[in-house]
């Protein structure tokens, strides 16, 4: 006779994170939020600098100022250095994040990985379809189909910081993982669709450099003075090969070891990410924004965003395509994997996060420059469309998240509560007998204190009552 099969507990979508994952997400998002605020400041500064008539010429002069060794093919404008050079740091961090997710994060488990991967893929495919349909119907160029496919996690978190909304950790982790997968596919799009011609000698040199980089890592060689010069050589060769130079950053990030060995508190990848992430979020990305977001935003040009099929396609792709793609991908994954939504959340929360993911900035601006290279007017129009779509998505997300903010605050407080003062949130200790013994001792101490106070109050009350135990002579004089 076969034993009865134990029913499986349905897996929860946006369920509680493990404690190490929660701590990693909190640390990563803290840096990204600060970087996002700097990104917002840089974007606003660029718009002010480019739109004040007295300053406009100086913005153009600085952006197009060239420097660098001509003999190495690196005499580039400041804007070009920001896009191809500084963003390589951003993609280096993205490569480390992706590697960590693959070996130690949510993407390690295929079942857990299905949700963010499917959501990210749908969140890129649907905006591309929306853009393509809009431009097919309006007779526009299909070159910008990839512009609305990217989510800017730093910008999204900056919006959360500005509006004062605190998402539960599970939704924040989903947003972060979604952005990591999103970055991966954006990298693939740049590598495959925006490589015109190849210099095989330079590409071969870059590959040899990456092989040396990998070998040094495997041999345990340490020292920034080894890897930084080698990384610069690899970057320069990749740039001259015709492949977008940011691919070099991703490749080097993916090579770092992101799992810990015996005796290690942090893996080399985590250690380097901790060092480089502030440089990426606090300097590289804001500087890129400063020299990429400076487009003219007069009334007529803003109106043109909604009349030209290319720019309208970008706006609709970000606002409508991203939301429907991510929400639809999440719902389909839940439907076909029999995973149920966490008891604390509703599908309205997922829809609000999907709307927030419609904020596309850094990678969208980069792809816009690549898609319409040589057409300055269209490039500026697409950048204006990215800004417009991101602002609309941020406004919609603000309204949707504010409606649920009181519940989010209660959930966040529950996640952070540490009544036994162990340094670990109580929800992670519910199965630990020692936690309950600590709580019993704390509650017994509180109970004893309350009994003492009650006895003192009772004694004082009896002393005030005529004829009470504390009265002298047992009665009135």
């Amino acid at each position: 006779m076969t034993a009865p099969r134990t029913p499986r507990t349905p897996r929860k979508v946006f369920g509680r994170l493990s404690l190490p994952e929660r701590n990693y997400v909190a640390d990563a998002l803290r840096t990204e939020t600060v970087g996002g605020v700097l990104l917002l400041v840089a974007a606003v500064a660029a718009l002010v600098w480019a739109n004040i008539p007295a300053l406009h010429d100086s913005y153009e002069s600085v952006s197009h100022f060239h420097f660098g060794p001509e003999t190495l093919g690196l005499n580039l404008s400041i804007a070009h250095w920001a896009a191809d050079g500084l963003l390589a740091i951003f993609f280096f961090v993205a490569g480390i994040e992706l590697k960590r997710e693959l070996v130690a994060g949510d993407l390690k488990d295929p079942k857990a990985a299905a949700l963010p991967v499917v959501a990210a893929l749908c969140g890129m495919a649907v905006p591309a379809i929306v853009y393509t349909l809009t431009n097919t119907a309006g007779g526009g160029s299909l070159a910008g189909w990839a512009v609305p496919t990217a989510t800017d996690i730093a910008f999204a978190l900056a919006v959360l910081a500005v509006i004062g909304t605190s998402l539960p950790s599970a939704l924040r982790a989903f947003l972060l993982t979604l952005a990591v997968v999103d970055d991966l596919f954006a990298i693939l799009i740049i590598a495959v669709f925006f490589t015109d011609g190849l210099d095989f000698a330079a590409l071969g040199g870059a590959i040899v450099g990456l092989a040396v980089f990998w070998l040094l890592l495997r041999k345990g060689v340490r020292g920034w003075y080894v890897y930084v010069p080698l990384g610069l050589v690899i970057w320069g060769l990749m740039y001259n090969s015709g492949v977008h130079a940011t691919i070099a950053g991703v490749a080097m990030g993916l090579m770092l070891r992101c799992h810990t060995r015996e005796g290690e508190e942090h893996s080399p990848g985590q250690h380097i990410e901790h060092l480089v992430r502030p440089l990426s979020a606090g300097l590289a990305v804001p500087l890129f924004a400063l020299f990429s977001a400076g487009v003219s935003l007069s009334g007529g040009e803003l109106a043109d965003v909604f009349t030209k099929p290319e720019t309208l396609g970008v706006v609709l792709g970000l606002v409508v395509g991203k939301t429907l793609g991510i929400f639809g991908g999440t719902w389909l994954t839940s439907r076909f994997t029999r995973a149920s939504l966490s008891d604390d959340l509703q599908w309205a929360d997922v829809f609000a996060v999907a709307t927030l993911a419609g904020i596309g900035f850094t990678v969208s601006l980069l792809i816009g420059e690549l898609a319409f290279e040589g057409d300055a007017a269209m490039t500026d129009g697409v950048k204006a469309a990215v800004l417009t779509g991101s602002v609309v998505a941020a406004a919609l997300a603000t309204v949707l998240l504010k409606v649920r903010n009181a519940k989010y605050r209660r959930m966040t407080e529950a996640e952070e509560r540490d009544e036994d003062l162990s340094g670990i949130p109580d929800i992670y200790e519910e199965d630990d007998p020692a936690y309950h013994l600590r709580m019993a001792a704390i509650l017994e101490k509180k109970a004893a204190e309350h009994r003492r106070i009650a006895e003192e109050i009772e004694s004082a009350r009896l002393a005030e009552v005529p004829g009470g135990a504390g009265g002298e002579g047992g009665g009135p004089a």
Side-chain angles (χ1 to χ4, degrees):
M1 181 175 178
T2 57
R5 182 176 296 175
T6 303
R8 289 187 303 171
T9 303
R11 188 169 56 83
K12 294 290 185 182
V13 177
F14 305 116
R16 185 188 305 167
L17 303 176
S18 67
L19 185 59
E21 185 70 8
R22 173 191 173 277
N23 292 338
Y24 168 79
V25 168
D27 183 57
L29 294 183
R30 195 177 299 113
T31 304
E32 291 287 358
T33 300
V34 174
V37 173
L38 293 174
L39 179 63
L40 280 173
V41 171
V44 171
L47 292 171
V48 170
W49 192 0
N51 284 276
I52 293 178
L55 300 176
H56 176 77
D57 289 343
S58 66
Y59 180 81
E60 291 294 322
S61 298
V62 173
S63 297
H64 294 99
F65 178 78
H66 282 64
F67 69 95
E70 180 69 46
T71 54
L72 299 178
L74 296 175
N75 186 249
L76 311 176
S77 67
I78 288 180
H80 205 159
W81 276 110
D84 284 40
L86 292 177
L87 278 195
I89 301 173
F90 167 80
F91 280 109
F92 175 70
V93 174
I96 301 175
E97 287 177 336
L98 178 61
K99 180 70 172 289
R100 197 206 72 86
E101 288 289 338
L102 288 170
V103 301
D106 286 345
L107 301 183
K108 181 181 179 181
D109 178 6
K111 291 182 179 178
L115 176 63
V117 170
V118 172
L121 282 172
C122 293
M124 299 185 82
V126 176
I129 292 170
V130 168
Y131 177 93
T132 301
L133 291 176
T134 303
N135 281 270
T136 300
S141 170
L142 299 182
W145 64 270
V147 175
T149 60
T151 293
D152 194 308
I153 182 65
F155 213 139
L157 292 172
V159 170
L160 288 177
V162 170
I163 66 177
T165 297
S166 180
L167 282 180
S169 60
L171 288 177
R172 285 178 174 260
F174 171 70
L175 194 60
L176 179 62
T177 307
L178 186 79
V180 171
V181 179
D182 193 293
D183 285 342
L184 168 65
F185 288 108
I187 292 160
L188 292 175
I189 287 172
I190 291 170
V192 174
F193 295 98
F194 297 103
T195 298
D196 295 328
L198 290 175
D199 183 325
F200 288 101
L203 182 60
I207 293 172
V208 170
L210 288 171
V212 173
F213 188 88
W214 179 85
L215 187 62
L216 291 174
L217 289 173
R218 291 300 168 273
K219 293 294 184 181
V221 176
R222 299 186 176 224
W224 64 267
Y225 47 83
V226 174
Y227 291 103
V228 171
L230 178 59
L232 291 173
V233 170
I234 294 170
W235 175 87
L237 288 167
M238 191 70 76
Y239 175 83
N240 282 288
S241 73
V243 177
H244 200 270
T246 53
I247 304 299
V250 179
M252 287 185 280
L254 286 171
M255 289 181 179
L256 292 172
R257 177 168 60 82
C258 291
H259 61 273
T260 55
R261 292 175 178 168
E262 188 176 352
E264 288 183 340
E265 185 177 356
H266 301 290
S267 68
Q270 287 174 296
H271 176 67
I272 293 172
E273 180 188 7
H274 182 73
L275 294 175
V276 180
R277 185 188 286 275
L279 178 64
S280 169
L283 180 67
V285 175
L287 280 177
F288 167 75
L290 182 64
F291 293 108
S292 291
V295 295
S296 178
L297 292 179
S298 65
E301 286 165 330
L302 281 176
D304 286 345
V305 167
F306 297 97
T307 58
K308 294 178 180 177
E310 294 88 353
T311 50
L312 179 61
V314 170
V315 174
L316 293 177
L318 288 171
V319 177
V320 178
K322 270 289 182 184
T323 304
L324 294 181
I326 292 172
F327 180 81
T330 305
W331 184 86
L332 287 171
T333 304
S334 172
R335 174 72 176 80
F336 290 105
T337 61
R338 304 193 177 208
S340 60
L341 190 66
S342 172
D343 296 334
D344 296 324
L345 299 171
Q346 298 177 7
W347 283 108
D349 300 309
V350 182
F351 188 85
V353 171
T355 305
L356 186 67
I359 298 174
F361 192 77
T362 306
V363 179
S364 291
L365 291 177
L366 176 61
I367 294 177
E369 291 179 353
L370 297 173
F372 296 100
E373 190 173 8
D375 188 343
M378 184 57 71
T379 299
D380 284 350
V382 166
K383 287 182 179 180
V386 169
L387 293 170
T388 303
S390 297
V391 169
V392 173
L396 289 174
T398 298
V399 173
L400 295 173
L401 292 171
K402 277 293 187 182
V403 171
R404 301 276 289 168
N405 197 38
K407 180 161 187 173
Y408 294 154
R409 191 179 297 113
R410 289 195 298 271
M411 291 176 65
T412 303
E413 289 171 356
E415 290 176 354
E416 299 294 334
R417 189 175 295 119
D418 181 20
E419 291 187 353
D420 65 335
L421 303 178
S422 65
I424 299 174
D426 294 339
I427 58 174
Y428 291 98
E429 298 185 300
E430 292 170 348
D431 297 327
D432 183 1
Y435 160 73
H436 293 284
L437 291 174
R438 287 194 299 271
M439 287 303 301
I442 291 170
L443 294 175
E444 286 166 2
K445 185 177 180 181
K446 288 183 178 180
E449 180 67 13
H450 283 294
R451 289 192 195 97
R452 183 188 65 77
I453 294 171
E455 289 171 358
E456 289 179 356
I457 293 173
E458 184 65 22
S459 297
R461 183 180 295 120
L462 290 173
E464 293 173 1
V465 175
E472 293 183 7

